[in-house]
Amino acid sequence: MSKQKKIKIPKLFKKELKAKIFEKKILKKIYIPADKDLIISLYQKNPEGNYILTKENFNKDEAKKLKTLAAAINKNKGGAVNTSKLGFAAALVILIIAFYVLFMNKLIEWGMEKGLEAIFNAKADVKGVNFEIWNAKISFQYLEVANESEPFKNLFELGKTEIALNSAELLKAKFVAQNIECQNIQWNTTRQTSGALAKKEEPQTKEDKSSSKKEESKNGFSLGNVDVNKVVEDNKTNLQSLSQYSKANEKLSQANAKWESSMDATKKNIADVSKNVDDVRKINAGSIKTAQEAQDAYNKINAALSKVDNLKKDVDRTSKDFSEDKNSIDKQVKDSQGSMDKDFKYLSSLIALPKGGLQGIAGQIAESYLSQKLGKLYFYLLKAKTVASSLKGGDKSKKTPIPQPGRRTGFNVPFKTTVYPNFLIENAAASAGKAGDNFYLTASLKDLSADADLWGKPATFSIDQTKEGKELIVKGFSDARSNAGETLGLEFQANHYPFEMKEGFSFLNARSIQGNYNFKTGLKLKKDNTAVGTAVIQLSEVEMDLVNKDDLISKVVYDAIRSTSNVILEISYRIAPNGSVALQTKSNIDQAISKKIGSLLSDMSKKYSQEIKDALLKMIAPELEKNKTLSQAFLKINEVSKGNVKDVDSLKAEIEKKKKEIDDQVNKAKREAEDKIKKEGSQKVQDATKNLPKLPGF
């Protein structure tokens, strides 16, 4: 039996160790009590004070454990703190502090500006940023964001602003705001420089160019003074009927030249074959008496029939090819006629009167303006929703717990306490000016949290501003709770604001409309990002700058607006996820306007429709006349084609008729010969039996 090999242990654990070495170089370098107890159990102190290893043999697990401890002791020779690593960490901290002191505020300032520009699509400027990382506080002296639609106006300005958080709670990954302060908030202030961002021009597609041209035509329209011929001429490149008829005529011309010569050649071939048929026509079937005469007649018929059959194949093939060309040309001509209808509708749209006469005119004036503003407000809401959603972190309950040493155990002692989300602003408020002053503003924000389900409340906000007699009120909510049906809501009210519009009503022959307005709307964003809302606009002191005050329609609308102290528009709208706005409007002046000039608009509409038809027909008259001539020539060729088929069929019918006559004559001759043979045979039998003796009777 072989001797078992002894398992070696690290040399560090010698058979005998001096007390000083054992205590300072081994025990002192072991920091886990259980490991220290293990080493002590392996040694005993002798009378001389040295430590003697008492265990002789070790198994594999024990040897492995001692190797691990030896490696740890060697690593810990420098002490619990590695001075080289500590120096590196200190240098890194110094670099971070230096970077923070020299660059951090500038970088934060730059980041805030770029972030605001991305949200509002206009220039932003931030000054005096101060970030105190140890106190968890950030402040700035001034902030402004330009208005995208009015580059020389600011959307808003903020004065000294400070946000101070509880740094101790931040270390626990919780947001607790100690102070949020904002001073000197202003809206719609004037800028010295443009706040527009540089934009890259995208190449304009053909469709865009076409639509641009059409839009230009519409903008130049003036109701009651329309030069229809000029409208047709200016939009000539957008019309299809002229080019369609030109293509159809070119195709007709080529077809006429091709088939006219082809039909003439076919006609000549028919005439040549007809001469061969003349020999068949001359055959007199009644005069055929002998078999040879019949055979000669059949030979002539078969020769003529072969030529007629070959000719018929050529004629049928030509007729089929001609029919295919004819169908193609008929379709082209039909498409040309359809393009005339499309061109008529297009030209009519350029000078179309308002839908339903002038009923709904107030809504039409406001439609493009409101669509643009509501669409922009909708995208601001979507961005706000994105920001609100980003506050909510992942599900931290699913994080893998950090393993703790098993040797230390404790007890969980529950205390009754409020559970806060990782981010929460229970209340924040700001104000500017004083109540009763020329300018006064208050703003508030409540219950903004990273976990609305945990907090149980939606975030709410409000802004109330009075400036130089003009009042602006904004209230809203953001509800990120999982059971919320509406995720965002906004109530907006603006009173005593002036307005001036220079687009959207060229059909009234007016340069602009201006006055004062009160505007109130309620908008809610659903989970599918569809927004629905209602709005009421009240216009007062309305003035119209008319191009021609004698224009009947302009005068009627102008008088109706001036005679109404307050023009009221009631609007319901729906904004799709792609930002398109569908509006339904009604106004207290629409009915009055519609009654006064409804019949006038109807007459004008009929007049312009007839003038458009006449102008369009005049423009394409040469092509229409050419098409008529070519079509008539083509119809004649069609008749020739039909005649050729008929002539060939007639020749074949003649030959077949003559063949039948000869067949009848031959059959007749056969019957007569058979009858004659039968008759002659019967007579010979009678003559042979005439002199025979009679048989005796029985």
Side-chain angles (χ1 to χ4, degrees):
M1 183 173 174
S2 61
K3 188 177 181 181
Q4 188 176 5
K5 188 177 179 181
K6 186 177 180 180
I7 298 174
K8 294 182 179 180
I9 62 173
K11 293 180 180 180
L12 180 64
F13 305 109
K14 294 179 180 179
K15 186 74 174 175
E16 183 175 351
L17 291 169
K18 291 183 179 181
K20 185 176 181 181
I21 294 175
F22 182 75
E23 292 172 358
K24 288 188 176 182
K25 292 189 176 182
I26 294 179
L27 293 182
K28 194 175 181 181
K29 305 302 180 185
I30 300 175
Y31 302 111
I32 298 176
D35 294 341
K36 187 178 289 188
D37 292 342
L38 173 64
I39 298 300
I40 292 172
S41 68
L42 298 176
Y43 285 87
Q44 279 188 353
K45 205 170 186 181
N46 63 11
E48 288 81 16
N50 296 333
Y51 285 87
I52 306 298
L53 184 64
T54 59
K55 192 168 184 177
E56 293 289 338
N57 298 317
F58 295 89
N59 58 33
K60 289 183 179 180
D61 292 337
E62 291 172 338
K64 186 177 180 182
K65 177 65 176 180
L66 291 175
K67 285 180 182 179
T68 304
L69 287 175
I73 291 169
N74 289 329
K75 285 184 179 179
N76 293 336
K77 283 183 178 180
V81 178
N82 190 317
T83 54
S84 61
K85 292 182 179 179
L86 182 62
F88 175 77
L92 183 61
V93 170
I94 292 171
L95 285 174
I96 293 173
I97 293 173
F99 177 81
Y100 164 74
V101 172
L102 296 175
F103 304 109
M104 183 61 71
N105 289 336
K106 287 295 181 184
L107 281 176
I108 293 174
E109 190 174 294
W110 177 83
M112 289 176 65
E113 289 175 348
K114 293 303 177 185
L116 290 168
E117 287 175 356
I119 293 173
F120 295 100
N121 201 26
K123 284 185 179 179
D125 188 21
V126 183
K127 295 178 181 178
V129 172
N130 182 33
F131 178 49
E132 299 178 20
I133 189 170
W134 315 118
N135 295 325
K137 183 167 70 174
I138 185 170
S139 63
F140 56 81
Q141 297 300 317
Y142 177 74
L143 181 149
E144 67 177 11
V145 176
N147 189 332
E148 179 188 0
S149 58
E150 297 181 69
F152 284 91
K153 292 278 189 180
N154 280 326
L155 198 62
F156 61 87
E157 291 183 28
L158 303 180
K160 182 180 178 181
T161 300
E162 178 184 276
I163 300 174
L165 308 179
N166 187 318
S167 56
E169 292 298 319
L170 277 179
L171 294 176
K172 301 175 186 176
K174 292 185 179 290
F175 180 94
V176 178
Q178 292 180 322
N179 182 48
I180 298 178
E181 178 185 354
C182 184
Q183 301 177 3
N184 298 327
I185 303 172
Q186 299 184 69
W187 305 83
N188 201 35
T189 56
T190 303
R191 291 175 59 91
Q192 297 300 318
T193 58
S194 173
L197 295 176
K199 293 183 179 179
K200 293 182 180 180
E201 290 189 5
E202 295 182 359
Q204 196 176 30
T205 63
K206 291 181 180 180
E207 186 178 349
D208 294 333
K209 292 178 181 178
S210 175
S211 62
S212 298
K213 290 179 181 178
K214 294 178 183 180
E215 190 63 31
E216 288 171 5
S217 302
K218 290 184 180 182
N219 290 341
F221 173 64
S222 176
L223 191 62
N225 185 26
V226 181
D227 186 347
V228 172
N229 291 319
K230 187 175 186 305
V231 172
V232 173
E233 186 63 31
D234 290 346
N235 290 274
K236 195 172 182 178
T237 55
N238 295 327
L239 303 179
Q240 301 176 8
S241 52
L242 188 62
S243 62
Q244 287 279 10
Y245 268 107
S246 178
K247 291 176 183 177
N249 289 341
E250 184 179 356
K251 197 167 186 177
L252 265 172
S253 181
Q254 293 173 352
N256 284 345
K258 170 185 173 183
W259 290 111
E260 188 173 4
S261 59
S262 177
M263 295 302 171
D264 288 343
T266 301
K267 200 78 175 173
K268 184 176 180 301
N269 291 338
I270 292 172
D272 292 340
V273 173
S274 182
K275 290 178 182 178
N276 294 325
V277 177
D278 285 343
D279 292 339
V280 175
R281 293 191 185 104
K282 294 176 182 178
I283 296 173
N284 184 359
S287 65
I288 295 175
K289 301 298 183 182
T290 66
Q292 185 61 44
E293 288 176 349
Q295 185 62 49
D296 291 342
Y298 277 127
N299 290 340
K300 289 180 182 180
I301 287 173
N302 290 334
L305 187 60
S306 176
K307 291 183 179 180
V308 169
D309 285 340
N310 290 334
L311 177 62
K312 180 169 176 56
K313 289 179 182 178
D314 292 340
V315 170
D316 287 345
R317 184 170 57 252
T318 301
S319 177
K320 181 182 177 183
D321 293 344
F322 177 80
S323 295
E324 289 176 354
D325 270 9
K326 181 177 181 299
N327 291 337
S328 176
I329 289 170
D330 288 345
K331 183 179 182 303
Q332 185 101 33
V333 172
K334 186 177 180 180
D335 290 344
S336 301
Q337 293 169 345
S339 66
M340 277 190 66
D341 295 334
K342 291 179 181 178
D343 287 347
F344 173 72
K345 290 179 181 178
Y346 165 63
L347 291 170
S348 298
S349 71
L350 299 181
I351 55 176
L353 303 179
K355 296 176 183 178
L358 282 188
Q359 187 171 0
I361 188 172
Q364 292 180 63
I365 292 173
E367 184 170 344
S368 61
Y369 180 81
L370 286 174
S371 295
Q372 179 186 6
K373 297 298 182 185
L374 288 171
K376 186 177 295 184
L377 178 61
Y378 170 76
F379 282 111
Y380 283 157
L381 283 177
L382 284 186
K383 289 181 179 179
K385 179 182 177 182
T386 303
V387 172
S389 299
S390 67
L391 293 176
K392 187 171 184 178
D395 187 355
K396 298 192 175 181
S397 63
K398 296 182 181 179
K399 285 190 174 181
T400 304
I402 300 173
Q404 300 294 331
R407 63 186 180 277
R408 295 179 182 178
T409 58
F411 299 94
N412 292 325
V413 181
F415 291 94
K416 188 176 180 180
T417 181
T418 303
V419 180
Y420 288 96
N422 292 334
F423 175 91
L424 173 65
I425 298 177
E426 288 191 71
N427 184 55
S431 65
K434 295 180 181 180
D437 287 354
N438 194 36
F439 173 78
Y440 180 58
L441 179 142
T442 59
S444 68
L445 174 65
K446 295 182 178 181
D447 299 312
L448 180 63
S449 69
D451 193 337
D453 286 319
L454 177 62
W455 189 239
K457 301 176 184 178
T460 59
F461 60 90
S462 67
I463 299 173
D464 192 337
Q465 173 188 289
T466 303
K467 183 178 180 181
E468 297 176 354
K470 298 184 285 291
E471 185 179 27
L472 180 68
I473 302 172
V474 180
K475 295 180 180 179
F477 70 87
S478 172
D479 196 345
R481 290 177 294 181
S482 56
N483 61 350
E486 296 165 345
T487 56
L488 280 172
L490 181 68
E491 293 182 10
F492 180 87
Q493 187 172 344
N495 298 324
H496 314 302
Y497 276 82
F499 76 92
E500 182 177 12
M501 297 172 60
K502 296 183 178 181
E503 295 180 357
F505 42 84
S506 56
F507 59 88
L508 291 179
N509 205 14
R511 297 186 186 91
S512 65
I513 297 179
Q514 57 188 4
N516 294 321
Y517 74 91
N518 293 341
F519 177 68
K520 183 177 181 180
T521 184
L523 173 66
K524 291 183 179 179
L525 187 66
K526 298 185 177 295
K527 276 195 171 182
D528 62 352
N529 285 342
T530 300
V532 294
T534 58
V536 176
I537 302 176
Q538 182 178 342
L539 307 179
S540 60
E541 301 177 13
V542 179
E543 294 288 342
M544 293 176 59
D545 183 10
L546 300 178
V547 176
N548 180 10
K549 291 186 178 181
D550 294 328
D551 183 88
L552 178 59
I553 294 176
S554 300
K555 188 174 184 301
V556 169
V557 176
Y558 181 76
D559 291 343
I561 292 176
R562 287 296 303 273
S563 62
T564 305
S565 58
N566 288 305
V567 178
I568 300 175
L569 286 84
E570 296 178 5
I571 304 161
S572 60
Y573 54 87
R574 183 181 185 87
I575 308 176
N578 63 0
S580 60
V581 182
L583 291 170
Q584 290 184 341
T585 61
K586 63 179 181 179
S587 170
N588 59 342
I589 65 168
D590 290 338
Q591 194 66 26
I593 294 174
S594 180
K595 286 182 179 179
K596 288 183 179 180
I597 58 173
S599 60
L600 174 63
L601 290 176
S602 178
D603 293 341
M604 292 179 70
S605 180
K606 292 177 183 178
K607 171 177 173 288
Y608 287 139
S609 293
Q610 188 58 48
E611 288 182 3
I612 288 171
K613 283 183 181 178
D614 294 342
L616 185 60
L617 287 171
K618 181 180 178 182
M619 182 189 71
I620 62 175
E623 292 295 338
L624 285 174
E625 188 61 33
K626 185 178 179 181
N627 183 265
K628 181 180 178 182
T629 303
L630 292 171
S631 295
Q632 288 174 347
F634 193 72
L635 287 174
K636 289 180 180 179
I637 295 173
N638 186 38
E639 293 301 320
V640 172
S641 176
K642 291 179 181 179
N644 289 343
V645 174
K646 186 176 180 182
D647 289 345
V648 174
D649 289 341
S650 179
L651 289 176
K652 187 170 183 177
E654 278 191 74
I655 294 172
E656 290 175 345
K657 181 180 178 183
K658 184 61 69 177
K659 183 177 181 296
K660 186 176 183 304
E661 290 177 2
I662 295 171
D663 288 342
D664 292 343
Q665 181 63 24
V666 170
N667 290 331
K668 180 182 177 183
K670 284 182 179 179
R671 287 194 300 272
E672 289 177 351
E674 289 174 355
D675 292 343
K676 184 178 179 182
I677 291 171
K678 288 179 180 179
K679 187 176 180 181
E680 289 177 353
S682 178
Q683 187 64 43
K684 287 181 179 180
V685 171
Q686 289 179 5
D687 291 343
T689 59
K690 184 176 180 182
N691 297 318
L692 289 175
K694 292 183 179 180
L695 294 174
F698 293 96

